[in-house]
Amino acid sequence: MPKNSKVTQREQSHEHVTESVADLLAHEEPLDYKSSSLNVGGAAGKKVPQLEVPENDGRPAWNSKLQYILAQVGFSVGLGNVWRFPYLCQKNGGGAYLVPYFILLLIIGIPLFFLELAVGQKIRRGSIGVWNYVCPSLGGIGVSSLMVCGFVGLYYNVIIGWSIFYFFQSFQYPLPWSECPIRRNGTLAIVEPECDKSSATTYFWYRQTLNTTSTIAESGGLNIKMTLSLLVAWIIVCLAVIRGIASSGKVMYFSSLFPYVVLFCFLVRGLMLKGSVDGIAHMFTPKLEKMLEPQVWREAATQVFFALGLGFGGVIAFSSYNKIDNNCHFDAVLVSVINFLTSILATLVVFAVLGFKANLMNEKCVVENAEKILGYLNSNVLSHDLIPPHVNFTHLTTADYAEMYGVIKTVKEGSFSQLGLEPCVLEDELNKAVQGTGLAFIAFTEAMTHFPASPFWSVMFFFMLINLGLGSMIGTMTGITTPVLDTYKVQKELFTVCCCIVAFFCGLLFVQRSGNYFVTMFDDYSAGLPLTVVVILENLSVAWIYGTKRFMQDLEDMLGFRPCKIYFYLWKYVSPLFLIVLISATVVEMAISPPGYNAWVEELAQERFQSYPPWALAMCFALIVVAMLPLPLVYIARRFNLISDGSNKLSVSYRKTMMKDISNLEEQDEARSILGAKPGEAPSSGPARKAYLAPGTNKPLDPNSLSPNSCYGTSYQNAAISPTTPTTPTTPTTPVTPESDS
């Protein structure tokens, strides 16, 4: 070694040898600091994740970003976009309803959707594992979410079964619901009275499809046709999810895209029909005064809430199969916008077709009432002088009838009601609000009978409903299977098949003759309030218990950029406030609205509202209690250390990930010991990572606050801070203190 080398000089001056080692290293080839494992301080302009989860941790992953986006879109875009959103638009002011809906989508929908995507992607587990990991005391959130998924999946697949039945019935001409059946008695042929009093499509739905009873108390036995349809539905769902995302991801390519093809075809065909423009104009004519009604905002918030699938666990489960550095913020905005635009597209289609149907019904009304007027003229009940001279009964228009109706009503004011004439106003037909099964299986189905090549359009429509339902069911089933498979060592295929078999037998409740009423019960009570409670606890556990500042820091480390500051305030203040108001409004609505259902009365051939009997009322509230029961039970059990916090049930792949991370941290600390002045000191050649400053404060986030006691159920975050941290994962038992705003 040359005598004038820095090392020789240091040795002669008896200075600390550490600097000499550093000088020797300086003679080596330049080190790429950004890619080096020695980079603990972070490179300029680029954030280095505090915890980098290896991609080869054994957890399944999406084949492509497109597959993942289609899965999230398929889960969030469901039957509600087709038959719930248009009804709410019509009911709550037409185009004016879009304003509160879009506002609430921005301040509630997207932030909470982003939150669920982020926690699933960061922790890479299902709903049970995520909330056990974030805060063990609130681990019941994941269990409640799973139970709600179970309740919803039971009756949701029944609706798919109904669609399957109508799909196969559509392969015949004429369609079986296009005409009322004829009852023959010898040489006498009469129209079925129940059908004659209602309509052909209504009769086919209530009598030939459901064969429904008049009350929920009358079971009537199993409906064999619906039982077989339900069996087919569960077989399809089971095949779609049996291999997890390996099978469901491929199904999503078709089930998510095909409905859009059908909707666009229906939109083009609908716009070519007479009266379609009337329906669309009626739909989007804003009634601005409706925006001032609290009920409109409540229903808009509820629709935003359920349209994105918040709280079900499917969003978290799908996101958990992502790469750790995936831009989940972009995904949240993209899926939310697609969902909103899909609702608008479905609304255009529905009201184009309903506008056509309204014109047909209005023309039928004009013809029937014109015949009544002709009868009154021939019997001299009405004078011919009352009929305007330009009116031609052979080609009577709606405008001519309206003029004639007005004259007769004015002249015969005293006895007009006895004539039994109807005004036949198109607006009245358009104002007849229908939703749910009434829209899909009665109103829309009746309109399609007047289409040219009606069987083709019927096949397309019900195949679309099957795919919409299938996409949502895949997400719902994933919300059930993923948390269990992450927590317990069970065979995926066997567990999935067992779930489907058990669900089929439980679903027999909905395919008895009174099953339609139980579908209504589960739809009203099993998901609404429990899911709202689940989501607000998710929001509070992240924003107030784990801490919004810490969560924002995690997002910055994970995404490589700082999310917009507005999310800090939305998660911490705005969303919880709105959710509390929504819960309060939901409870008030349930308290003031008499619990009941619309029963089909065969003798009257129409629906009548009936209150639930005591046993059914007890069943309604049992659904709510059972769904929310895990929340207090898990909290109490962990508060008194009756059960573990779940860290001992981490999946094998997740344990490997944690151990690799801790091993990497030890290597990094060893490098710091060599390059730094003392152990734990980062090298000065790399710029230090900037600490995250919470909005409205200059106080940086204390790294030492990221301890296992801050609700994360493992100790790797402490290991990232201190080299003395043990390498064995530990579990916190002390309660978490809420984060301060200061």
Side-chain angles (χ1 to χ4, degrees):
M1 183 178 295
K3 293 183 179 181
N4 59 348
S5 70
K6 293 183 178 180
V7 174
T8 305
Q9 294 173 6
R10 294 301 185 191
E11 288 178 347
Q12 293 174 356
S13 62
H14 304 288
E15 291 187 18
H16 199 280
V17 73
T18 304
E19 293 189 17
S20 300
V21 175
D23 288 330
L24 280 174
L25 291 176
H27 291 285
E28 300 294 332
E29 294 183 1
L31 180 67
D32 184 358
Y33 214 83
K34 293 183 179 180
S35 60
S36 172
S37 62
L38 303 180
N39 179 15
V40 296
K46 181 178 179 181
K47 285 293 180 181
V48 178
Q50 179 178 324
L51 172 66
E52 185 175 350
V53 178
E55 299 301 335
N56 57 347
D57 62 350
R59 188 172 185 81
W62 298 103
N63 290 335
S64 65
K65 181 65 173 285
L66 176 62
Q67 189 182 73
Y68 165 67
I69 293 297
L70 290 178
Q72 291 286 13
V73 169
F75 177 51
S76 65
V77 175
L79 297 173
N81 295 77
V82 174
W83 67 33
R84 178 69 178 169
F85 187 87
Y87 162 75
L88 291 175
C89 279
Q90 181 184 23
K91 175 185 175 185
N92 295 317
Y97 173 76
L98 300 179
V99 176
Y101 183 88
F102 189 70
I103 292 174
L104 293 171
L105 179 66
L106 292 178
I107 65 176
I108 293 182
I110 294 178
L112 294 178
F113 193 58
F114 179 27
L115 184 146
E116 289 201 357
L117 291 180
V119 295
Q121 181 173 308
K122 176 71 176 178
I123 303 174
R124 297 172 65 79
R125 302 192 69 202
S127 57
I128 293 180
V130 161
W131 302 114
N132 276 340
Y133 185 71
V134 170
C135 189
S137 296
L138 293 178
I141 294 175
V143 183
S144 287
S145 177
L146 186 147
M147 297 192 70
V148 172
C149 278
F151 287 148
V152 172
L154 287 178
Y155 77 84
Y156 203 88
N157 220 25
V158 174
I159 301 175
I160 299 179
W162 295 341
S163 302
I164 291 173
F165 176 76
Y166 268 77
F167 172 74
F168 285 108
Q169 290 292 315
S170 299
F171 287 96
Q172 50 186 308
Y173 184 82
L175 291 170
W177 51 80
S178 59
E179 297 177 353
C180 285
I182 304 298
R183 179 187 295 179
R184 296 189 178 277
N185 186 7
T187 58
L188 184 63
I190 60 173
V191 177
E192 180 66 41
E194 186 180 2
C195 182
D196 192 40
K197 293 178 183 177
S198 53
S199 68
T201 51
T202 304
Y203 175 81
F204 186 86
W205 168 244
Y206 282 111
R207 189 54 52 212
Q208 296 188 334
T209 301
L210 301 179
N211 194 20
T212 187
T213 58
S214 297
T215 65
I216 194 173
E218 301 175 34
S219 168
L222 288 178
N223 183 332
I224 301 301
K225 293 181 290 186
M226 292 301 100
T227 303
L228 294 176
S229 298
L230 179 63
L231 178 61
V232 172
W234 274 113
I235 291 174
I236 293 173
V237 170
C238 186
L239 293 176
V241 301
I242 192 168
R243 295 180 57 213
I245 63 172
S247 56
S248 62
K250 294 179 176 62
V251 173
M252 285 296 185
Y253 280 114
F254 182 80
S255 64
S256 296
L257 294 176
F258 179 75
Y260 290 96
V261 176
V262 177
L263 285 174
F264 277 110
C265 290
F266 264 97
L267 180 61
V268 173
R269 185 67 186 91
L271 291 175
M272 298 169 62
L273 298 172
K274 180 183 177 181
S276 60
V277 177
D278 295 329
I280 294 175
H282 174 78
M283 174 64 249
F284 288 101
T285 301
K287 302 177 181 65
L288 298 178
E289 66 279 1
K290 285 278 189 178
M291 291 178 58
L292 302 177
E293 298 180 9
Q295 178 74 4
V296 174
W297 289 82
R298 187 187 72 84
E299 293 190 345
T302 304
Q303 179 63 17
V304 167
F305 186 79
F306 290 108
L308 295 175
L310 299 175
F312 279 95
V315 173
I316 293 176
F318 281 153
S319 183
S320 70
Y321 300 113
N322 264 331
K323 296 180 179 179
I324 190 67
D325 59 349
N326 174 64
N327 189 348
C328 55
H329 177 259
F330 172 80
D331 300 342
V333 175
L334 177 64
V335 174
S336 300
V337 171
I338 290 176
N339 188 292
F340 177 67
L341 295 179
T342 304
S343 298
I344 300 296
L345 174 62
T347 302
L348 288 171
V349 171
V350 166
F351 276 89
V353 174
L354 291 184
F356 165 68
K357 175 179 175 289
N359 269 269
L360 290 178
M361 296 297 102
N362 197 54
E363 290 176 357
K364 181 180 179 181
C365 176
V366 168
V367 171
E368 292 176 350
N369 284 272
E371 291 177 354
K372 289 182 181 180
I373 293 175
L374 281 175
Y376 293 143
L377 291 174
N378 295 332
S379 60
N380 296 323
V381 175
L382 294 177
S383 171
H384 287 78
D385 297 334
L386 299 178
I387 308 302
H390 64 275
V391 171
N392 183 357
F393 278 92
T394 307
H395 302 286
L396 189 64
T397 64
T398 55
D400 291 340
Y401 175 78
E403 182 181 357
M404 187 168 53
Y405 177 86
V407 173
I408 296 174
K409 184 177 181 179
T410 302
V411 175
K412 295 287 186 178
E413 184 176 358
S415 58
F416 179 77
S417 59
Q418 300 174 2
L419 298 177
L421 298 177
E422 298 178 10
C424 298
V425 179
L426 181 62
E427 190 77 11
D428 294 340
E429 286 291 336
L430 291 171
N431 282 329
K432 292 180 179 178
V434 287
Q435 66 164 324
T437 55
L439 174 63
F441 298 104
I442 298 177
F444 211 90
T445 305
E446 182 176 352
M448 285 189 297
T449 60
H450 301 283
F451 283 18
S454 55
F456 168 77
W457 293 104
S458 183
V459 168
M460 293 282 283
F461 177 72
F462 289 108
F463 195 37
M464 178 191 72
L465 291 187
I466 292 170
N467 280 276
L468 284 173
L470 180 61
S472 297
M473 273 301 298
I474 288 174
T476 302
M477 287 297 294
T478 305
I480 296 173
T481 57
T482 297
V484 176
L485 295 174
D486 283 345
T487 308
Y488 302 100
K489 289 184 178 180
V490 294
Q491 187 180 357
K492 181 191 303 180
E493 291 80 3
L494 179 61
F495 176 71
T496 303
V497 171
C498 290
C499 283
C500 293
I501 292 174
V502 171
F504 168 72
F505 283 104
C506 292
L508 295 179
L509 172 69
F510 306 101
V511 292
Q512 56 184 339
R513 290 181 57 194
S514 60
N516 182 43
Y517 307 138
F518 288 99
V519 171
T520 302
M521 175 193 293
F522 272 65
D523 190 39
D524 290 341
Y525 291 95
S526 68
L529 185 60
L531 271 186
T532 312
V533 173
V534 164
V535 173
I536 192 173
L537 289 177
E538 289 180 356
N539 193 175
L540 293 176
S541 64
V542 171
W544 286 92
I545 300 179
Y546 177 65
T548 314
K549 289 185 288 185
R550 299 174 197 161
F551 188 57
M552 293 287 279
Q553 181 67 61
D554 287 344
L555 289 174
E556 184 179 354
D557 293 340
M558 185 169 65
L559 302 178
F561 63 89
R562 294 184 181 183
C564 182
K565 289 183 179 180
I566 188 66
Y567 286 110
F568 181 92
Y569 300 104
L570 290 175
W571 284 326
K572 199 167 187 69
Y573 304 110
V574 179
S575 295
L577 178 62
F578 267 89
L579 289 173
I580 291 173
V581 172
L582 180 59
I583 289 177
S584 303
T586 302
V587 172
V588 171
E589 179 72 15
M590 293 175 63
I592 64 177
S593 299
Y597 61 102
N598 290 320
W600 178 256
V601 182
E602 182 177 358
E603 294 76 16
L604 302 175
Q606 62 183 12
E607 288 184 335
R608 283 284 181 88
F609 180 83
Q610 294 189 13
S611 298
Y612 284 119
W615 64 268
L617 196 60
M619 188 175 179
C620 293
F621 290 103
L623 290 173
I624 299 175
V625 172
V626 169
M628 294 195 296
L629 196 58
L631 298 170
L633 287 183
V634 172
Y635 177 81
I636 294 172
R638 286 185 174 156
R639 185 72 173 177
F640 294 98
N641 297 320
L642 300 178
I643 59 175
S644 68
D645 63 1
S647 63
N648 60 330
K649 293 184 178 180
L650 291 172
S651 63
V652 174
S653 64
Y654 203 77
R655 288 178 181 270
K656 290 180 180 178
T657 299
M658 291 171 53
M659 297 309 297
K660 289 178 182 178
D661 292 324
I662 295 170
S663 177
N664 291 337
L665 291 169
E666 290 176 339
E667 293 175 3
Q668 291 176 6
D669 185 69
E670 181 180 352
R672 287 195 294 266
S673 298
I674 296 175
L675 296 180
K678 54 187 177 181
E681 180 180 338
S684 58
S685 58
R689 185 174 67 182
K690 184 178 179 181
Y692 180 77
L693 299 178
T697 178
N698 294 322
K699 182 179 179 180
L701 178 64
D702 181 11
N704 295 319
S705 67
L706 296 175
S707 64
N709 291 338
S710 63
C711 261
Y712 271 164
T714 54
S715 62
Y716 68 79
Q717 289 188 331
N718 258 1
I721 304 302
S722 172
T724 60
T725 303
T727 59
T728 303
T730 59
T731 302
T733 57
T734 56
V736 181
T737 56
E739 175 192 286
S740 173
D741 287 336
S742 59

